[in-house]
Amino acid sequence: MALRWRLLLVTLTAALLIGFGALARARVEPVSVLMPAPFADASADLVQEFNSSHQGIQLTVTRGPLETEAVSDLAISSLLLENSPYDLLLMDVTWTPKYAAAGWLEPLESWLGTDAMEDLAAGAELGNAFSGHLWRFPLVADMGLLYWRTDLMEAPPRTPAELVAISRRLQRESRVTWGYVWQGKQYEGLSCVYLEVLRGFGGSWLMDDQPQLDSPAALAATGWLQDLVRQGVTPAAVANMGEPEALQLFQAGDAAFMRNWPYAWAELNKPESPLRGKVAFTTMVSDVGNPHAATQGSWGFSLLAGSKHKAAAVEVLRYLTSAEAQKQLNLRWGYTPTRLSVFEDPELLAANPALGDLQQALAASVLRPLSPVYAQLSDLLYRELNTVITGDRADQTAMQQVQSNSERLLRTSGGQG
Amino acid sequence: MRWRLWLLMAPALALLLAVFAAPLLHYLWLSTQAQTVLTGLRPQPIGAQQWLRLWNDGRFWQDTWQTLRFSAASVSLEMLLGLVVALLLNQPLRGRALLRTISLLPWALPTTVMALGWRWIFNDPYGPINRLLAWLGLGAIPFLSNPAITWMAAVGADTWKTTPFVALLLLAGLQTIPADLYEAAALEGATPWQALQRITLPLLTPYVLIALLFRLAQALGVFDLIQVLTGGGPAGSTESLALYAYLNAMRFLDFGYSATLLLGSFAILLLLCSTAALAWRWSSRLQGELR
């Protein structure tokens, strides 16, 4: 009899404990974040640390696709169903106005406070606000860089003419097959490349919401890119080159210069890389008197308007973009920080001497147009530029076409450029 | 008695209506609306403006031409090669089962995977074909960076993948042809070529038509192969109608125009199929009269 009573007592206690446990777990707020695969991998440690130090929040990261636009497709598909499983989204800089205009994002200024942006390095603050609200907080900075071979030249070219001259000399001396490789495929990367050259010739994409793509500077930029291919400084295959293809050709030692993002720096300096220690980077060449521009391509977190756990999600956002987290992401994975205090961290500077140069490039960064119809604007531009590179159309005709199409697009979209 | 027939058919009809007619009607309605990122994704009626835009959109007509060109080239190649493969696999060879299995492999691969593979094969200058050419001292072929060549590269990749599908359908057809027909023909002194022309091809016609229908429908809606292999480039030369509609919906968030594009290509497809059916009936009637 006594045994039976004792058994009952044990069972009851166990049931109560399990019940309380379940209650306690019910008070845990789930926060779900969608990130492109590389970021999900890099932040795995941080997520674990967050979960063990925050009992009230259960953070899970969905490992999205590798490719930028595929991540957007996934996010948009879920948002269109109006019941997105995600609370936070790691967003590319060009998506912000589109997502904000679609009503998918929650303004962040009231959540983060007015001093949230104070610690950001110059250039990193760009592209997070649109039409008077803060929609995104940057996690990782990204900008276009000109990589050059330290074993082939003393100093990098600073003007377009110098770049061509050095390339042709090296090609004549048979020290490289090609001079300069970049992203010329019909996709977003070509718009990034073009914007840097355009700024270098003193032009701009939009000015006061008006496209400036048939200006003399725009034609000079297009003509320069076209001539690179015509003169054989750049291979004709550039018309199908994205970042990996350009890196492949440069890393094989077949080119003297490459335009690419900071991730290439880590790739080029891996132990098995044939170019380890033979590469340096700087900002893009520009005509005398014009700025050396770097297209900004940062990634940052946005809070989704449909999230049911906003306070917890903001907690996660603060943690993942904190100076400590950015420091870890740089030390272990080589991601460029966005916070000034991280750029100036002595420990990081010792471990990663290129950090100062990256900070300078970030300060030189320029934004692609902040517009809800940016995807169309860019599609018009890179499509025509690609026809110029393949030699299918004269540069002037093509740029006039882009100009009139962009004007029409911005007119029909009610000047919300 | 007739109402009972309809009653019995009702579940199937309802399903068809829900699966085919409802989305089509929804799209028809959507094509009269502006539903874009600029309207906050709320539909606003704009009458026939999307259709006017479609009519004046050079890119739509260019993509229509490119989609037709791709479909015509890849489907006719596939039918031809598929017939040859089917005839070969129908021969009593040793290890025929193994051969049949192997020949099906390309079709079993997911399109994305095989497109990535072809992107590597076509790589300039590091792909295997261009390496071989360089080793032979020849120049590289700009498979994916020359508008005049890239669409053919896409046709090549598609043909490689879907020829086995056509071969499989035609092989099934070949096995329904009774062997005694060939024996009788041989006794009459017919050559193998005559047997092919007079027995095999006429009896295979229904299967050819089925394969043609499947393949045309697939090819005219080609999306994944193009998206992975070229992204529509270079110079827009490989962009298909499906890719353009996808860009409008998912990238530009312009759902009204995307719906119009899809309906526009649907109309072209209908026009094409009805013309083909009419031509088919006309030519068979003409043949009947000649006999």
Side-chain angles (χ1 to χ4, degrees):
Chain A
M1 211 53 173
L3 185 69
R4 198 178 283 176
W5 280 112
R6 225 177 290 163
L7 260 177
L8 188 66
L9 192 69
V10 169
T11 322
L12 272 175
T13 327
L16 275 175
L17 277 177
I18 291 171
F20 277 124
L23 269 178
R25 216 173 310 135
R27 281 215 311 276
V28 168
E29 284 209 65
V31 172
S32 174
V33 190
L34 175 65
M35 301 187 197
F39 292 107
D41 294 341
S43 60
D45 292 340
L46 288 168
V47 170
Q48 212 167 15
E49 283 165 29
F50 180 90
N51 278 332
S52 55
S53 62
H54 294 71
Q55 295 301 328
I57 303 174
Q58 178 62 40
L59 169 61
T60 46
V61 168
T62 304
R63 195 171 178 275
L66 186 75
E67 209 221 334
T68 305
E69 290 307 327
V71 181
S72 178
D73 289 353
L74 181 64
I76 288 179
S77 306
S78 82
L79 286 164
L80 285 173
L81 297 173
E82 291 182 351
N83 192 13
S84 175
Y86 311 115
D87 302 288
L88 289 173
L89 201 57
L90 189 57
M91 304 231 304
D92 183 67
V93 61
T94 59
W95 303 348
T96 319
K98 180 166 76 178
Y99 281 56
W104 291 332
L105 305 184
E106 172 85 7
L108 285 172
E109 59 271 11
S110 55
W111 291 97
L112 296 181
T114 43
D115 57 344
M117 311 291 280
E118 267 172 20
D119 188 32
L120 291 183
E125 81 286 4
L126 296 171
N128 302 300
F130 171 70
S131 68
H133 292 289
L134 179 69
W135 301 105
R136 194 185 78 133
F137 194 86
L139 169 73
V140 165
D142 224 1
M143 55 272 156
L145 303 169
L146 178 66
Y147 289 82
W148 56 284
R149 295 269 299 274
T150 51
D151 58 333
L152 294 178
M153 64 200 88
E154 296 284 313
R158 296 285 63 207
T159 65
E162 276 174 26
L163 188 145
V164 171
I166 297 176
S167 295
R168 302 196 77 174
R169 180 170 54 77
L170 290 169
Q171 284 178 284
R172 236 185 355 260
E173 293 166 1
S174 297
R175 298 178 69 189
V176 282
T177 318
W178 304 105
Y180 176 34
V181 288
W182 34 283
Q183 291 82 48
K185 191 175 161 176
Q186 182 183 316
Y187 83 125
E188 185 55 34
L190 179 53
S191 291
C192 296
V193 166
Y194 183 73
L195 179 59
E196 287 159 7
V197 181
L198 178 66
R199 287 299 181 100
F201 279 99
S204 48
W205 191 337
L206 291 189
M207 196 183 277
D208 301 327
D209 287 345
Q210 282 307 307
Q212 310 286 321
L213 293 171
D214 59 354
S215 66
L219 287 176
T222 316
W224 188 66
L225 288 176
Q226 189 181 31
D227 281 347
L228 286 176
V229 181
R230 280 199 185 144
Q231 298 175 346
V233 170
T234 294
V238 79
N240 187 48
M241 265 185 204
E243 287 89 358
E245 288 84 5
L247 179 60
Q248 185 183 34
L249 206 142
F250 185 71
Q251 194 160 22
D254 288 338
F257 305 104
M258 169 182 68
R259 188 268 178 206
N260 215 320
W261 306 95
Y263 85 94
W265 178 248
E267 290 293 321
L268 290 165
N269 283 300
K270 278 186 175 166
E272 68 273 18
S273 165
L275 291 189
R276 186 181 162 87
K278 295 178 185 167
V279 188
F281 64 81
T282 178
T283 45
M284 188 47 59
V285 293
S286 71
D287 232 6
V288 185
N290 291 316
H292 301 285
T295 300
Q296 206 238 42
S298 61
W299 289 86
F301 286 112
S302 287
L303 179 59
L304 294 184
S307 164
K308 292 180 189 71
H309 311 281
K310 292 203 176 79
V314 169
E315 186 92 1
V316 171
L317 186 153
R318 283 180 187 278
Y319 186 89
L320 291 180
T321 58
S322 67
E324 192 46 46
Q326 292 198 358
K327 191 172 161 181
Q328 272 196 44
L329 284 176
N330 182 266
L331 269 179
R332 293 190 202 161
W333 301 87
Y335 282 120
T336 315
T338 58
R339 288 182 180 276
L340 194 61
S341 55
V342 184
F343 271 114
E344 289 170 348
D345 188 299
E347 190 193 338
L348 273 195
L349 278 170
N352 186 356
L355 210 56
D357 294 337
L358 286 170
Q359 191 185 351
Q360 274 180 15
L362 181 60
S365 68
V366 291
L367 275 186
R368 288 163 271 173
L370 276 179
S371 159
V373 293
Y374 173 73
Q376 284 103 309
L377 277 175
S378 184
D379 178 81
L380 289 173
L381 178 63
Y382 59 63
R383 200 176 149 94
E384 287 301 329
L385 285 174
N386 190 258
T387 63
V388 172
I389 293 164
T390 54
D392 256 27
R393 190 174 281 182
D395 49 353
Q396 198 159 351
T397 332
M399 294 319 284
Q400 275 160 1
Q401 180 89 39
V402 186
Q403 174 71 15
S404 62
N405 284 340
S406 306
E407 278 171 2
R408 188 179 325 128
L409 172 68
L410 289 176
R411 204 167 47 237
T412 51
S413 64
Q416 279 203 44
Chain B
M1 267 333 199
R2 215 170 164 77
W3 64 270
R4 232 189 245 171
L5 254 174
W6 284 105
L7 191 72
L8 287 172
M9 282 198 299
L13 284 177
L15 188 73
L16 281 178
L17 221 61
V19 175
F20 293 110
L24 215 60
L25 285 175
H26 176 71
Y27 271 36
L28 207 58
W29 170 79
L30 200 55
S31 77
T32 64
Q33 308 286 315
Q35 188 192 8
T36 73
V37 65
L38 295 168
T39 67
L41 300 187
R42 280 175 296 274
Q44 287 169 4
I46 52 161
Q49 272 186 45
Q50 303 279 28
W51 289 95
L52 266 175
R53 183 175 158 198
L54 184 81
W55 185 256
N56 292 318
D57 186 357
R59 190 161 166 185
F60 168 71
W61 296 110
Q62 186 192 335
D63 289 353
T64 302
W65 153 240
Q66 283 164 188
T67 309
L68 292 178
R69 177 177 72 175
F70 171 86
S71 306
S74 63
V75 173
S76 32
L77 267 176
E78 284 152 22
M79 297 308 292
L80 208 68
L81 289 174
L83 181 65
V84 172
V85 172
L87 287 171
L88 276 177
L89 289 180
N90 201 32
Q91 298 304 311
L93 299 167
R94 251 203 310 162
R96 186 166 67 167
L98 187 72
L99 270 178
R100 282 181 181 174
T101 315
I102 291 174
S103 70
L104 259 180
L105 279 180
W107 189 54
L109 275 179
T111 311
T112 333
V113 174
M114 84 81 186
L116 275 174
W118 280 100
R119 202 164 86 179
W120 167 242
I121 293 171
F122 288 142
N123 182 300
D124 178 9
Y126 301 116
I129 301 181
N130 277 325
R131 278 203 186 196
L132 183 71
L133 288 174
W135 183 74
L136 292 171
L138 300 168
I141 299 176
F143 285 112
L144 298 178
S145 53
N146 185 325
I149 294 177
T150 306
W151 76 273
M152 290 193 264
V155 167
D158 191 62
T159 307
W160 180 82
K161 179 176 163 63
T162 35
T163 296
F165 172 74
V166 176
L168 192 73
L169 277 183
L170 297 186
L171 182 62
L174 283 177
Q175 292 183 341
T176 62
I177 302 176
D180 41 348
L181 283 180
Y182 292 105
E183 283 163 20
L187 280 177
E188 303 272 346
T191 62
W193 179 244
Q194 280 173 323
L196 178 74
Q197 266 188 314
R198 298 286 172 83
I199 302 171
T200 313
L201 289 184
L203 288 174
L204 207 56
T205 309
Y207 296 88
V208 171
L209 282 180
I210 289 174
L212 202 64
L213 194 73
F214 270 119
R215 280 303 309 137
L216 264 182
Q218 266 180 339
L220 288 167
V222 64
F223 171 74
D224 40 6
L225 168 73
I226 303 290
Q227 167 77 343
V228 176
L229 189 69
T230 67
S237 64
T238 57
E239 187 172 86
S240 65
L241 285 168
L243 188 57
Y244 190 30
Y246 154 83
L247 282 179
N248 273 282
M250 298 303 287
R251 297 279 162 85
F252 307 163
L253 299 182
D254 190 345
F255 297 99
Y257 192 53
S258 182
T260 317
L261 274 172
L262 281 174
L263 286 177
S265 34
F266 183 66
I268 288 173
L269 184 65
L270 266 186
L271 198 74
L272 211 76
C273 287
S274 44
T275 320
L278 278 178
W280 176 262
R281 275 173 67 178
W282 183 72
S283 75
S284 37
R285 193 178 307 157
L286 201 71
Q287 268 184 354
E289 276 169 19
L290 283 178
R291 273 176 204 154

